[in-house]
């Protein structure tokens, strides 16, 4: 059901008209907030918008009628009478989703009515158009797409590529995000460890990367005991996916993503409401794969490694139990306080493998704790890092590309809360408070040699539609990290 990067690139490329195209387009006017927000528009447009009681609130948009039908679209880049930095964070991504608009192709005209139009904005605006165009229709009986629109018919919803925007860069970024969204949105009956492995192999083939997959009982022989323990109760065998790309002597960037394809909670079973969205428990893996795709598309001069422990946390007679003591790849013994804290177990083996390579940057991505959502909500993932300067830089790049993160600490005084009584460590803390921090500290126990370790506790889902972010799966943090790495390493 999941599209390949090649097919996604074709779909996304069809969303744009070349700058030299002679096809008729209508303008998208971007206006700022406050009383003067609409004064840059023609008087007839101002009159129409006032009659519609249009408010200059970020994300608001309206169609502008003309003599021959649609005269254009106006959208607000910020709220009324607000002029603070937080309001401006996602201005460049505030384009209205094309699926909500009329069918005539549109353009972003240059001019003074564009507020805060920075050199990077053409790419971000085009990317926002592409991200806002995403739909997950694979299970609709009438078909996945409007074929006439997909093939670029005269009424296709398209945007003339803004001057200065790179089609290749925009399509590459959008394809990576769309791929991750497809993976997260796919129901668990069609997205188990084998299907996730296949998706990674397809990406590896696309970029001519190497990909090794260890499955089932072979995980025990290869010393991934925690991955095996978590996944052994399922009829679908767990796997450890290991992709490598780039020159061996280049700076080492390693990504580890939690690939729990469905989480029942195990013997500590979740209630029905807690299980409803558990197809997204592999969003960390999808995010790491999206980031890997971005890095390879940009040909960054790095040695990339992607590690995904993939499993289904199911219930059967072979399920691991509360009270069990398991030995990790690193040799650390883990007492199981709760089988529903399985994500940190599979990540422990993945991080131990990654750490053996002594990477320059080690990033982990996981929908790990509800405590992170209580602390910061669903759309602001916490970032934990052993390098404060790196964390601050990620906050800055996240703001700039509308992929926000916020720093939380590896608070060392809490580390004793995960000490085990009869084992080296427990997968649950002695205190329920500070759960996102103690989970991050658990992971950090398995990182000894990496120069910098950074962990993201993502939600991986959009519950309320936002500009460029439709309801459904979302690879949070991937674009923020990519922007940082692109600035750090540039292109080869």
């Amino acid at each position: 059901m999941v599209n390949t990067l090649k097919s996604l690139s074709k779909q996304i490329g069809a969303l744009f008209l070349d700058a030299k195209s002679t096809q008729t387009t209508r303008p998208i006017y971007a206006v700022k907030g406050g009383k003067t927000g609409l004064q840059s528009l023609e008087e007839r447009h101002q009159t129409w918008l006032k009659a519609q009681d249009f408010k200059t609130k970020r994300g608001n948009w309206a169609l502008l009628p003309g003599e021959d039908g649609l005269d254009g679209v106006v959208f607000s880049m910020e709220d009324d009478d607000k002029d603070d930095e937080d309001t401006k964070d996602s201005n460049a991504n505030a384009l209205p989703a094309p699926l909500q608009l009329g069918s005539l192709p549109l353009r972003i005209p240059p001019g003074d009515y564009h507020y805060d139009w920075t050199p990077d904005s053409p790419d971000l605006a085009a990317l926002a158009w592409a991200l806002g165009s995403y739909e997950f229709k694979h299970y609709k009986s009438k078909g996945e797409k409007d074929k006439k629109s997909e093939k670029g018919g005269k009424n296709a919803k398209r945007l003339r590529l803004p001057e200065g925007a790179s089609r290749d860069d925009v399509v590459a970024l959008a394809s990576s995000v769309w791929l991750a969204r497809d993976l997260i949105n796919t129901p668990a009956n069609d997205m188990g460890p084998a299907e996730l492995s296949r998706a990674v192999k397809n990406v590896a083939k696309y970029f001519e990367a190497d990909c090794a997959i260890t499955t089932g009982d072979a995980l025990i022989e290869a010393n991934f005991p925690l991955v095996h323990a978590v996944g052994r109760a399922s009829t679908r065998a767990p796997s450890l996916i290991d992709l490598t790309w780039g020159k061996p002597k280049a700076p080492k960037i390693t990504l580890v993503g939690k690939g729990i394809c469905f989480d029942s909670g195990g013997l500590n079973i979740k209630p029905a409401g807690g299980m409803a969205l558990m197809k997204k428990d592999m969003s960390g893996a999808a995010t790491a794969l999206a980031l890997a795709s971005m890095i390879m598309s940009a040909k960054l001069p790095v040695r990339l490694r992607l590690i995904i422990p993939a499993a289904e946390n199911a219930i059967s007679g072979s399920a691991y139990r509360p009270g069990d003591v398991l030995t990790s790849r690193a040799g650390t013994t883990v007492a199981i306080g709760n089988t529903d804290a399985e994500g940190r177990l599979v990540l422990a083996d993945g991080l131990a493998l990654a750490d053996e390579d002594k990477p320059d940057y080690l990033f982990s991505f996981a929908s790990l704790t509800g405590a992170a959502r209580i602390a910061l909500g669903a759309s602001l993932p916490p970032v934990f890092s052993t390098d404060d300067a790196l964390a601050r830089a990620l906050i800055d790049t996240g703001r700039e590309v509308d992929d926000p993160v916020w720093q939380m600490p590896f608070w060392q005084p809490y580390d004793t809360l995960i000490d085990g009584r009869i084992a080296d460590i427990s997968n649950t803390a002695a205190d329920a408070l500070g759960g996102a921090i103690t989970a991050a500290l658990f992971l950090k126990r398995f990182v000894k040699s990496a120069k910098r370790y950074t962990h993201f506790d993502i939600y991986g889902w959009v519950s309320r539609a936002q500009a460029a972010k439709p309801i459904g799966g979302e690879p949070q943090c991937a674009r923020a990290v990519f922007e940082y790495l692109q600035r750090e390493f540039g292109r080869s």
Side-chain angles (χ1 to χ4, degrees):
M1 289 291 181
V2 177
N3 288 308
T4 64
L5 280 174
K6 183 177 181 180
S7 65
L8 290 173
S9 297
K10 184 177 180 181
Q11 289 179 43
I12 293 167
L15 296 170
F16 298 104
L17 287 171
D18 188 90
K20 297 179 181 180
S21 170
T22 59
Q23 189 168 345
T24 301
T25 58
R26 297 291 187 269
I28 300 177
Y29 299 107
V31 298
K32 57 184 177 180
K35 297 179 180 178
T36 61
L38 301 178
Q39 290 182 5
S40 58
L41 301 175
E42 293 182 28
E43 186 174 349
R44 62 191 177 95
H45 290 155
Q46 293 182 48
T47 301
W48 167 259
L49 292 170
K50 288 177 181 177
Q52 301 301 311
D53 196 28
F54 179 80
K55 304 293 185 185
T56 50
K57 182 177 180 180
R58 183 173 55 175
N60 278 3
W61 60 273
L63 299 176
L64 298 174
E67 294 180 0
D68 58 347
L70 179 66
D71 204 28
V73 179
V74 62
F75 82 97
S76 178
M77 301 181 83
E78 66 177 36
D79 294 349
D80 282 323
D81 300 317
K82 289 185 179 179
D83 190 24
D84 58 78
E85 289 303 313
D86 287 337
T87 302
K88 298 177 184 177
D89 285 350
S90 58
N91 281 349
N93 271 10
L95 282 174
L99 296 168
Q100 300 171 315
L101 304 178
S103 59
L104 283 177
L106 301 171
R107 68 179 185 275
I108 301 175
D112 293 337
Y113 39 77
H114 287 288
Y115 180 60
D116 246 2
W117 204 243
T118 64
D120 288 337
S121 293
D123 268 11
L124 288 174
L127 179 62
W129 179 265
L131 297 183
S133 300
Y134 176 84
E135 288 184 295
F136 188 72
K137 285 188 167 183
H138 300 307
Y139 293 88
K140 293 286 188 179
S141 58
K142 292 184 179 180
E144 296 179 9
K145 294 284 181 182
D146 178 341
K147 299 301 181 183
K148 290 183 179 180
S149 176
E150 186 176 318
K151 293 180 180 179
K154 66 178 182 179
N155 289 326
K157 295 171 182 176
R158 286 179 154 189
L159 178 73
R160 186 186 298 280
L161 199 68
E163 185 175 348
S166 167
R167 177 189 289 270
D168 289 345
D169 289 349
V170 170
V171 170
L173 283 173
S175 298
S176 300
V177 173
W178 278 34
L179 174 64
R181 288 174 175 176
D182 274 0
L183 291 170
I184 301 168
N185 287 329
T186 299
N189 58 305
D190 286 331
M191 184 51 60
E195 290 79 11
L196 182 56
S197 297
R198 190 177 306 122
V200 177
K201 287 180 70 174
N202 286 338
V203 172
K205 183 178 180 180
Y206 187 78
F207 291 109
E208 298 182 345
D210 295 321
C211 186
I213 300 173
T214 307
T215 301
D217 290 342
L219 290 166
I220 298 175
E221 298 174 15
N223 194 23
F224 298 110
L226 296 184
V227 180
H228 183 271
V230 170
R232 71 192 184 199
S234 174
T235 57
R236 302 190 290 184
S239 295
L240 191 288
I241 308 165
D242 191 354
L243 176 151
T244 53
W245 173 90
K247 296 179 180 179
K249 294 185 178 180
K252 297 176 182 177
I253 310 296
T254 301
L255 318 176
V256 181
K258 172 186 170 184
I260 299 297
C261 296
F262 188 80
D263 182 17
S264 69
L267 292 176
N268 291 116
I269 190 168
K270 293 177 181 289
M275 236 185 282
L277 267 182
M278 281 301 99
K279 68 176 185 179
K280 77 170 185 65
D281 213 23
M282 41 64 67
S283 59
T287 298
L289 181 60
L291 176 56
S293 173
M294 294 173 192
I295 291 170
M296 292 186 285
S297 292
K299 296 182 172 62
L300 298 190
V302 301
R303 177 64 169 177
L304 173 68
R305 191 175 191 184
L306 169 67
I307 296 170
I308 295 174
E312 179 180 14
N313 190 21
I315 299 172
S316 74
S318 61
Y320 75 116
R321 296 161 290 264
D324 283 357
V325 175
L326 307 174
T327 302
S328 70
R329 179 182 181 83
T332 303
T333 55
V334 183
I336 305 302
N338 191 321
T339 62
D340 196 21
E342 84 300 326
R344 65 199 70 182
L345 297 178
V346 299
L347 286 172
D349 274 356
L351 288 169
L353 173 65
D355 197 57
E356 292 165 10
D357 208 25
K358 299 179 181 180
D360 297 286
Y361 290 87
L362 175 55
F363 298 96
S364 61
F365 305 85
S367 52
L368 203 61
T369 69
R373 256 45 70 197
I374 292 171
L376 296 177
S379 58
L380 185 60
V383 53
F384 301 81
S385 184
T386 58
D387 185 330
D388 285 340
L390 171 58
R392 289 193 294 271
L394 289 168
I395 291 172
D396 290 341
T397 57
R399 282 177 179 269
E400 292 175 32
V401 300
D402 191 24
D403 192 19
V405 300
W406 197 255
Q407 187 176 11
M408 289 180 69
F410 282 123
W411 188 244
Q412 205 59 34
Y414 290 176
D415 193 61
T416 57
L417 295 174
I418 55 174
D419 285 340
R421 185 176 60 83
I422 64 171
D424 296 329
I425 190 173
S426 173
N427 79 329
T428 53
D431 192 328
L433 302 178
I437 297 174
T438 54
L441 287 168
F442 180 97
L443 300 181
K444 186 171 177 286
R445 290 272 189 113
F446 296 87
V447 179
K448 307 292 185 184
S449 302
K451 292 182 181 178
R452 305 167 190 84
Y453 172 49
T454 304
H455 166 63
F456 299 89
D457 191 337
I458 68 172
Y459 188 51
W461 192 263
V462 175
S463 300
R464 179 179 56 84
Q466 305 163 40
K469 297 176 183 177
I471 293 173
E474 185 67 25
Q476 294 171 306
C477 309
R479 291 191 297 111
V481 178
F482 173 71
E483 184 68 19
Y484 169 81
L485 292 175
Q486 185 165 239
R487 294 179 186 183
E488 188 74 6
F489 295 102
R491 295 174 181 268
S492 59

